Amino acid sequence: QAQQQALTLRIAGGWVRDKLLGQQSHDLDVAVDRMSGYELAQHVHAYMGAHGLATHAVARISENPARSKHLETATTRVLGQLVDFVHLRSETYVDGTRIPRVAFGTPAEDARRRDITINALFYNLRTRRVEDFTGRGLDDLRAGVVRTPMEPAQTFADDPLRVLRVLRFASRFGYEIEARTAAALALPEIRDALAAKISRERVGVEVDKMAAGARPLMSIELVRRFGLYDTVFAPPAQLGRDGTDAGEPDEPAAEPDVTCAVEMTQCVLRILGSEPTELVARVPPQFAAGSARMRRLLVLAAYLAPYAGRTGADRKRRAPAALLVVRDALKLPASDAAAVAAVHALAPRVAAMAAACRVGAVPRDALGRLVRDAGERWPAAALYAAAAALRAGSAHCDVEQTHLAFVDAVCAAGLAEAYAFKHLVNGRDAAALLGCRPGPAIKPVLDRVMDWQLRNPAGSERECREFILAEIAPGFRP
C-alpha cells in the first residue's frame, strides 16, 4: 500500500501533444515511475475486477530492439480504451549500435531520450498538469517547431530512426525543423548511420506513415532536401537504364531523380483534389477512387516514380525496379510492391487509350483487354496516368477531359469489371472442340474466345462454339 501511494502516473507523448492541439488521439501511454509497466497493468486489472468493471487480458510485450522497442511494455483495455503501460526510463548508447542500455529513469531522463520535444510532454495524473521537462516542448508546439531534446547529431547517431521520425512529424503537422536539427539531418555520417543501423522494416513503416499522412508532398520534399532518397528508397542491385533490361556493373545507370518523385506526388495530389475531382467522382464507386487506400497507393507510386520503366537484379532474372524497392528496401507487403509496379507499367497504356477515346470510338475488345490486363487496378492506373500527363505539361482541364473519356468509355461499354468475365467456353471444352488435350496451347485459344466475347457482348455459348469451329479450328496446331 505504501508503494502504491508513492506512485506517480503520467500520460506520455503523443496523446498529450494531440490534446493540446485540440485533436483526437487514441495513442494512450501511461508511464509509471516506481514499477514496471507490466506490474502496473496487473494492478489496474485486479482493481477493475474487484470493482465489477469489465476486464481484458494483459498482453506482455517483450523488448524487441530490431523493431525499435527497447523495453518491456504491457497492453490492456481500460473502460474500452486500449492503454499501453510503460515505466519511465533512461537510455545509454554504446558506440556502433542503436540498441541502448535501458534502466529505470526520472521523468526528465525519459523526456530527454525521446525523438522530439513536442513528443516529450507528460500529463501528470496526480497534479492534473502538463509537464515539460525539456523546457522547450510547449514553446515548440506553440511555434510549430520540430527539434530534438538533446544535441541533434548525437541524438541521430544514437538512433538514426529518429531522422525519419523528425521528417514525418514535421510533415504531419506542417512544422519547421529547427536550424541545428536540420543541420544534423544533412550530415553524411548521419545518412550513413541511417543506412547501416536501421532495419528496412522500420524504414518502411515510416515511409508508409508519410505516404498515408496529411502532407505526403512535404514528406518527400524533406527527403529530397536532406539528400535521403537513395538511403530511404535504396536502389536494387544492377539498376538498369530507362527502357533497358540490364545494368552493367562497370557502367552504372543514372541515379534515381528525386525531383521526379516530388513532382509526381504533387501531380497525384492535384488529380485527387482536396475534394473529389470530376475524374475521381466518375470512377465507379466499387473502386473507391477517393479513398485513403487509393491515395496511399498513388502516393507510393509517385514516391517510386524515379524507378518507373527500370529494372533491377532479382536473383537470376530481372524485375521492375519499383517492385524490388518496395519489397526489399521498404519491406512493405508483396501486394503493395505488385500494385506500384503494375500502376507504373499500365499508366502509359492507359494514357494512349485515353487519347484514342477522346478523339473517337475505340473497339470494345481493345478496351476490354486493357481492363482485363489491369484487373481492379485500372482506375488507379488511369488516375496515375492523368498525374503523369500533368507533370508532362498538359493543362489540368485537358488532362481531366482526356482521362474522363477513357473512364466513361469503359463504363458505357459495361467493362468496369471485365477482368472478372468468365469464358463462355472453358479450356477443357475448347480443347474437346479442337480435338486436343487441355494444356498451354489452349491459352491463345481462350484469349481469342474472350476477344470474341468482348466484341459480341450478347453472344451465346452456342455462338461461341461456332466461332471456335469456324475461325480457330481450321488453322489450329496444338
Side-chain angles (χ1 to χ4, degrees), residues 49-406:
H51 289 77
L53 300 172
T55 59
H56 301 267
V58 176
R60 190 172 194 166
I61 304 170
S62 300
E63 61 181 302
N64 186 349
R67 293 189 175 273
S68 294
K69 195 164 190 62
H70 301 309
L71 81 165
E72 178 186 270
T73 62
T75 300
T76 191
R77 287 195 175 274
V78 178
L79 303 178
Q81 169 70 52
L82 193 64
V83 180
D84 288 342
F85 294 90
V86 299
H87 66 74
L88 296 173
R89 69 187 193 266
S90 64
E91 294 178 348
T92 304
Y93 287 84
V94 178
D95 288 345
T97 178
R98 61 174 290 268
I99 301 173
R101 295 173 180 168
V102 176
F104 279 86
T106 66
E109 289 172 329
D110 193 277
R112 286 195 297 271
R113 59 95 193 163
R114 293 178 180 263
D115 49 11
I116 54 178
T117 58
I118 62 172
N119 290 346
L121 299 169
F122 294 100
Y123 179 72
N124 188 313
L125 292 174
R126 183 185 296 276
T127 64
R128 299 190 178 185
R129 292 182 179 275
V130 173
E131 297 173 331
D132 181 7
F133 290 100
T134 71
R136 294 180 177 269
L138 290 172
D139 288 342
D140 287 344
L141 198 62
R142 294 186 191 100
V145 171
V146 170
R147 84 171 80 224
T148 58
M150 298 174 64
E151 199 281 320
Q154 187 60 53
T155 294
F156 296 144
D158 286 343
D159 186 355
L161 183 64
R162 292 166 177 159
V163 168
L164 298 183
R165 288 178 61 82
V166 164
L167 303 192
R168 177 164 66 83
F169 281 106
S171 62
R172 175 178 172 179
F173 296 112
Y175 285 2
E176 290 288 330
I177 299 176
E178 177 264 337
R180 291 178 68 243
T181 302
L185 287 170
L187 293 173
E189 57 267 33
I190 297 302
R191 183 168 58 248
D192 293 344
L194 176 60
K197 288 186 177 182
I198 304 302
S199 72
R200 301 315 304 185
E201 288 87 354
R202 291 302 305 165
V203 172
V205 167
E206 294 300 320
V207 169
D208 199 10
K209 290 179 178 180
M210 291 178 191
R215 295 174 181 82
L217 176 59
M218 184 175 175
S219 293
I220 195 67
E221 287 174 336
L222 289 172
V223 169
R224 175 176 64 174
R225 173 183 167 187
F226 294 109
L228 294 170
Y229 189 86
D230 290 355
T231 303
V232 174
F233 302 94
Q238 296 182 25
L239 179 64
R241 294 177 178 83
D242 293 2
T244 70
D245 287 329
E248 297 296 333
D250 56 342
E251 296 183 31
E255 292 299 319
D257 178 13
V258 63
T259 298
C260 171
V262 172
E263 292 174 354
M264 275 303 299
T265 303
Q266 183 178 42
C267 292
V268 159
L269 296 175
R270 285 180 64 194
I271 288 296
L272 294 176
S274 54
E275 297 293 333
T277 61
E278 187 176 2
L279 178 57
V280 170
R282 294 263 274 276
V283 172
Q286 65 266 37
F287 297 104
S291 67
R293 180 180 178 186
M294 177 68 81
R295 179 178 179 270
R296 171 184 174 273
L297 167 59
L298 293 176
V299 168
L300 278 176
Y303 283 1
L304 275 295
Y307 292 107
R310 308 180 73 173
T311 63
D314 185 23
R315 298 183 178 89
K316 295 183 179 181
R317 61 187 181 90
R318 306 292 297 179
L323 182 149
L324 298 176
V325 174
V326 175
R327 187 192 72 188
D328 300 335
L330 301 180
K331 296 294 184 180
L332 293 178
S335 57
D336 287 336
V340 168
V343 166
H344 284 175
L346 290 163
R349 292 179 59 190
V350 170
M353 188 70 73
C357 289
R358 186 160 187 196
V359 299
V362 173
R364 189 174 188 271
D365 57 333
L367 277 171
R369 278 195 299 272
L370 177 52
V371 172
R372 286 181 64 79
D373 289 346
E376 294 180 345
R377 298 180 181 124
W378 73 261
L383 295 171
Y384 192 81
L390 275 184
R391 180 174 181 259
S394 298
H396 193 288
C397 59
D398 187 58
V399 167
E400 185 156 273
Q401 289 306 309
T402 297
H403 292 81
L404 273 173
F406 169 71

Side-chain angles (χ1 to χ4, degrees), residues 430-472:
L433 287 172
L434 296 171
C436 69
R437 293 182 178 180
I442 295 299
K443 184 183 183 307
V445 172
L446 293 179
D447 290 341
R448 292 186 64 184
V449 165
M450 183 53 66
D451 285 347
W452 180 88
Q453 289 180 220
L454 292 170
R455 291 192 299 271
N456 301 275
S460 66
E461 180 183 344
R462 178 184 60 78
E463 291 170 325
C464 187
R465 288 174 177 273
E466 291 174 353
F467 164 75
I468 294 173
L469 292 171
E471 300 293 335
I472 300 178

